[in-house]
Amino acid sequence: MNLCDKNTVRRLMASYGISFRHEFGQNFLTDPNVIDEIADAACPTEDCTILEIGPGIGTLTRALCARYRRVIALEIDRNLIPVLEETLADFDNATVVNADVMKTDLAELLAPAFAEGPVAVCANLPYYITSPILMKLLESNLPFWGVTVMVQKEFADRLCAAPGGKEYGSITVSAAYRGHAEKICAVPADRFLPAPKVDSAVVRLRLYGKNKPVEPKSEATFFRVVRAAFGQRRKTLANALATGFPELGKATIAGLLETLGLPADIRGERLSVEQFIKLSDLI
Ligand code: SAM
């Protein structure tokens, strides 16, 4: 069965009496080249376990099963479980779990996999919940080799943004603190069934794990600084910090910026991760 053929996908869904569920962000990928690119990017070694979020009807899952030791796929929509049993029947290395990723204890689920070898995340993410899923993965501090995800193009631009541009924000800094983001490919909307309203892109975040190039004295303060800086984008960094850290006072904040050699009227979007870390260490 060719799951990249749109008519085949429609027939398959009809044969199970189910339709695409917008509320679960169901836009199934139908481009075999893109599927190969995402699957290839997920991990450099075959002995990897892949956590897939939202396998849908199993199109990407099949490509992952063909490449890697094991695939653990979390699917929220129980209507898709019998479909996946059919489309993954010729692989014995796929485990499908009917669960909401946001309510799943990933450390517990993946403990045996981490004991076996590298573990990476690979997914065509449901767009309604991209940011919470990514933050959950990043904040879990689990030692994933990397996170390779299809996201909306604008979100991909934010993940890969350099300081100074309008795409640069708290998600950019949080991701850049934990890993190196790289765009793998752009994916036009017509490669999905049904086609979403916006184009997409695949981004790979290669996580640093314990080998971060720079680390703050206090992660909590670092993230508080980042949240404060981008919470009030139109303000200067000094004013945004004065709101986010009322206990410091304006004179102290002005002194901190001066110590770091930053102009008094600089905005948060101009600071690199390293500069945010220096600032949070001073605070
Ligand atoms: N991987 C398939 C593909 O590439 O064609 C489907 C991707 S589709 C964009 C997103 C998938 O995530 C859907 O199958 C949807 O049901 C599932 N999903 C949505 N929310 C989820 C959640 N909270 N936990 C697990 N799966 C979810």
Side-chain angles (χ1 to χ4, degrees), residues 24-29 52-56 59-60 74-77 80 99-102 124-126 128-129:
F24 288 148
Q26 289 179 357
N27 301 99
F28 297 155
L29 194 50
E52 188 190 6
I53 297 159
T59 321
L60 174 61
L74 288 182
E75 175 53 62
I76 196 172
D77 184 357
L80 291 173
D100 177 344
V101 64
M102 297 308 294
N124 171 13
L125 287 180
Y128 76 101
I129 197 179

Side-chain angles (χ1 to χ4, degrees), residues 2 4 30-37:
N2 177 7
C4 288
T30 55
D31 183 323
N33 297 324
V34 174
I35 286 167
D36 281 344
E37 269 196 270

Side-chain angles (χ1 to χ4, degrees), residues 72 122 213 279:
I72 299 175
C122 185
L279 178 58

Side-chain angles (χ1 to χ4, degrees), residues 68-105:
Y68 302 105
R69 184 214 308 253
R70 165 160 294 284
V71 177
I72 299 175
L74 288 182
E75 175 53 62
I76 196 172
D77 184 357
R78 67 187 159 88
N79 291 340
L80 291 173
I81 306 302
V83 184
L84 287 162
E85 274 165 19
E86 178 182 342
T87 58
L88 301 176
D90 48 340
F91 289 101
D92 62 4
N93 58 341
T95 306
V96 175
V97 183
N98 179 206
D100 177 344
V101 64
M102 297 308 294
K103 295 182 183 155
T104 302
D105 183 340

Side-chain angles (χ1 to χ4, degrees), residues 134-135 137-141 172-180 205-209 212-214 219 222-223 273:
L134 211 57
M135 290 317 290
L137 294 171
L138 294 178
E139 285 170 4
S140 72
N141 269 331
T172 322
V173 178
S174 300
Y177 166 59
R178 293 190 165 94
H180 172 73
L205 202 56
R206 174 75 176 95
L207 297 183
Y208 300 131
K212 293 186 186 68
V214 279
E219 266 196 6
F222 167 69
F223 285 116
V273 180

